Amino acid sequence: MYPGSVHFDDFKGVLAGKRKIRLSEIRVIHDGIVVYGIEGVYTSEGHVVPGGVHHGTALNPRCVNQSIPLPEGTNIIKVYGRSGDIIDQLVIELSNGITYVFGGHG
């Protein structure tokens, strides 16, 4: 784990004991150069359950929290990225053919 990184597990945290869980949205915090954090937003038995924002300590004023909606029937088919000491790019591909790219290009 990189310095400043924080381990999280939404299923052992906010989702513990919940049933019929579905990931309905992903939010990625980035500044167009680096990816700083992520949040999963879930539904459980018709209720919205925010997973909480998971990020390190190095946010800056240029950061945005960009949302990817995951309507019923839309799935994540691929997640990949690029990193060295930090995650500088995160790519999320969906089953509906849309690809989202966060962060920079190297």
Side-chain angles (χ1 to χ4, degrees), residues 8-11 13-16 18 21-27 38-44 47-54 65:
F8 69 92
D9 184 340
D10 289 346
F11 285 93
V14 299
L15 298 174
K18 303 265 192 277
I21 299 166
R22 186 178 77 77
L23 181 63
S24 58
E25 180 183 352
I26 299 173
R27 298 175 183 163
I38 194 163
E39 176 182 20
V41 179
Y42 308 88
T43 57
S44 173
H47 300 291
V48 175
V49 182
V53 179
H54 305 289
N65 192 348

Side-chain angles (χ1 to χ4, degrees), residues 59-76:
L59 297 176
N60 68 62
R62 296 182 311 275
C63 287
V64 296
N65 192 348
Q66 192 169 348
S67 174
I68 300 174
L70 298 169
E72 193 79 38
T74 302
N75 300 300
I76 297 169

Side-chain angles (χ1 to χ4, degrees), residues 3-105:
S5 297
V6 178
H7 174 79
F8 69 92
D9 184 340
D10 289 346
F11 285 93
K12 290 181 180 177
V14 299
L15 298 174
K18 303 265 192 277
R19 297 180 358 191
K20 297 183 182 177
I21 299 166
R22 186 178 77 77
L23 181 63
S24 58
E25 180 183 352
I26 299 173
R27 298 175 183 163
V28 179
I29 302 167
H30 69 100
D31 65 1
I33 300 170
V34 172
V35 175
Y36 292 91
I38 194 163
E39 176 182 20
V41 179
Y42 308 88
T43 57
S44 173
E45 299 184 296
H47 300 291
V48 175
V49 182
V53 179
H54 305 289
H55 61 82
T57 58
L59 297 176
N60 68 62
R62 296 182 311 275
C63 287
V64 296
N65 192 348
Q66 192 169 348
S67 174
I68 300 174
L70 298 169
E72 193 79 38
T74 302
N75 300 300
I76 297 169
I77 58 170
K78 195 172 188 181
V79 176
Y80 56 97
R82 191 178 51 248
S83 68
D85 291 338
I86 57 173
I87 297 173
D88 55 9
Q89 187 179 73
L90 176 66
V91 181
I92 300 174
E93 295 183 15
L94 304 181
S95 59
N96 62 7
I98 298 174
T99 298
Y100 293 88
V101 180
F102 304 98
H105 300 287

